[in-house]
Amino acid sequence: MVDIERTRRPWLLGLVSVGLLAIALVGLAVLGGRSLPERTGPPVEEIAVEQTRLEPGSIDLTLRNTGADPVSVGQIFVNDAYVDFTGLDEPIGRLESARVRIDYPWQDGQPYLVSMLTSTGLVIEHDIPAAVETPATNASFFGLMALLGTYVGIIPVVLGMLFLPVMRAAGGRVVRVLLAVTVGLLAFLAWEGTSEGFELAGRSGGAFGGTALVVLGAVLAFLGLTAVDQWLRSRRQSAAVQGASGVRLALMIAIGIGLHNLGEGLAIGSAYAVGELALGTFLVIGFAIQNTTEGLAVVAPLTERRPPLLTLLGLGLVAGAPAIVGAVLGATVNNAELSALLLGVGVGAIVQVIVQIVPSLREPEGKGIAVSTLGGVSIGLLVMYATGLLVTA
């Protein structure tokens, strides 16, 4: 009985502390605002254009108020010409979104500058580099996105996994070098995802944290995959410790690469939706070469055992299939905040996988990391950089 009371006491004290803190914050919110002076000066008006859809004879913009004050748009100009529009009947409140439809006979491939004049005289501009009709989201569209995601995700990863017999024939040192190449590949993907995430977050206007979304997604993914790894460790059978460890590490690598390919699919889908992606043979070949190296990374921990064919196929789907989901989601939603968050998730997953692989790079008997292994990391970085040059949009 005494032990139970000792266990409950810290919890009760914690609940009381949280309750007092909540009461203090509510009181400050209710009473503190009345004692502070009102803000002086002109309103702070900021609008971010989250999505642009072009249909014959019209331009649809999705706007979000990223400033501190409500925004009312009184007039809209396209290339300095006054145009009629519908929507925006009410002021846009803080963090709220609104959709405006502009009546304008735009021409395919031409650049346009949309200028929005607010009630205070502030001009907010949005640039359309090249007008292209937004594809209709019908069955054929989703089929095209699924096919494109298969081309750049599943097929290249599975092709890379076909090198497993060659890797199995190599010795322990070669396996460590291959794992080091994997670390280099993943490190480059992490850097690429971070830079793309920050770029997308900068376009969002910072309504929901901007670059903080990338960091938040990375931290949550790292902690989540760490918990998954601990759960997988606890389920290992003592009779097959080494084999299970290899499959577990391969699964973690596949999850990390899959989350990265989700962000890659988002970029592909959103670029296609606005006509900025050239769906040519060269692009498909470039992605195929780059993602084939990811297949090598997935099977690198499996060189010391013979996993079933279904296990290999499952790992390939885990690593490649998210590209399909990303392509469909990016083409339909096309939201900068969501894309930045998911790119951050991919970065966090990749960092967690690198943490898992690094202990396997050490030489036997604690001799540290060999020079050849360090060279493998450099090779991985250079391979991803070189193949990335083939991917042009």
Side-chain angles (χ1 to χ4, degrees):
M1 180 66 71
V2 176
D3 293 338
I4 295 177
E5 291 181 356
R6 290 180 178 178
T7 304
R8 289 179 177 177
R9 188 174 300 173
W11 286 101
L12 291 175
L13 292 176
L15 292 175
V16 171
S17 300
V18 172
L20 292 176
L21 178 61
I23 293 173
L25 291 176
V26 172
L28 182 62
V30 174
L31 303 177
R34 300 177 181 178
S35 61
L36 295 175
E38 295 184 359
R39 194 187 69 191
T40 59
V44 179
E45 297 180 325
E46 297 179 2
I47 289 181
V49 179
E50 291 189 338
Q51 187 176 16
T52 303
R53 294 185 61 85
L54 287 90
E55 299 176 356
S58 67
I59 302 174
D60 290 357
L61 302 179
T62 301
L63 310 178
R64 185 174 296 277
N65 181 0
T66 60
D69 298 309
V71 178
S72 297
V73 177
Q75 296 179 351
I76 296 181
F77 300 84
V78 177
N79 286 359
D80 296 328
Y82 175 80
V83 294
D84 294 327
F85 64 93
T86 56
L88 304 180
D89 298 328
E90 300 291 335
I92 308 175
R94 171 169 167 75
L95 299 182
E96 293 181 355
S97 63
R99 185 174 176 178
V100 55
R101 185 180 184 88
I102 303 171
D103 297 326
Y104 189 81
W106 56 270
Q107 296 181 2
D108 189 69
Q110 296 298 315
Y112 294 98
L113 179 64
V114 180
S115 304
M116 293 168 280
L117 182 66
T118 68
S119 58
T120 62
L122 179 67
V123 177
I124 299 174
E125 297 181 337
H126 172 62
D127 184 48
I128 302 176
V132 178
E133 183 177 356
T134 303
T137 54
N138 49 28
S140 61
F141 170 79
F142 288 117
L144 177 60
M145 289 297 100
L147 183 62
L148 183 59
T150 302
Y151 280 157
V152 303
I154 296 177
I155 293 178
V157 171
V158 173
L159 288 176
M161 296 173 67
L162 294 178
F163 286 89
L164 177 58
V166 178
M167 299 168 64
R168 186 181 291 122
R173 180 179 293 274
V174 176
V175 171
R176 284 190 293 273
V177 172
L178 291 175
L179 286 174
V181 173
T182 299
V183 170
L185 299 176
L186 295 175
F188 187 91
L189 292 178
W191 168 253
E192 183 181 54
T194 302
S195 60
E196 291 178 1
F198 284 165
E199 181 180 354
L200 278 174
R203 299 180 195 167
S204 67
F208 296 98
T211 55
L213 284 172
V214 183
V215 179
L216 176 64
V219 172
L220 291 179
F222 183 88
L223 295 177
L225 283 182
T226 300
V228 170
D229 177 62
Q230 294 299 321
W231 179 74
L232 292 174
R233 285 175 184 269
S234 66
R235 292 178 60 88
R236 285 188 305 177
Q237 299 295 327
S238 59
V241 172
Q242 182 61 39
S245 177
V247 174
R248 176 184 58 82
L249 185 55
L251 177 60
M252 298 301 293
I253 293 175
I255 292 174
I257 290 176
L259 289 175
H260 172 79
N261 284 338
L262 176 66
E264 193 173 79
L266 281 170
I268 293 172
S270 60
Y272 174 76
V274 296
E276 294 179 354
L277 188 64
L279 299 178
T281 304
F282 189 70
L283 175 69
V284 174
I285 292 176
F287 271 121
I289 293 175
Q290 186 182 42
N291 291 351
T292 297
T293 58
E294 297 175 357
L296 295 173
V298 172
V299 297
L302 302 177
T303 54
E304 297 182 5
R305 71 186 306 251
R306 294 182 179 274
L309 179 60
L310 290 178
T311 300
L312 293 175
L313 291 176
L315 291 172
L317 289 176
V318 170
I324 299 176
V325 180
V328 174
L329 189 63
T332 53
V333 178
N334 195 19
N335 183 281
E337 289 90 354
L338 177 62
S339 299
L341 177 64
L342 291 179
L343 282 170
V345 169
V347 170
I350 289 174
V351 172
Q352 205 281 336
V353 172
I354 292 176
V355 172
Q356 293 286 321
I357 297 177
V358 167
S360 302
L361 302 182
R362 297 183 179 277
E363 296 292 316
E365 301 177 359
K367 295 182 180 180
I369 300 178
V371 176
S372 59
T373 305
L374 294 176
V377 177
S378 301
I379 292 174
L381 290 170
L382 292 174
V383 167
M384 289 304 292
Y385 171 76
T387 56
L389 296 178
L390 298 177
V391 181
T392 57

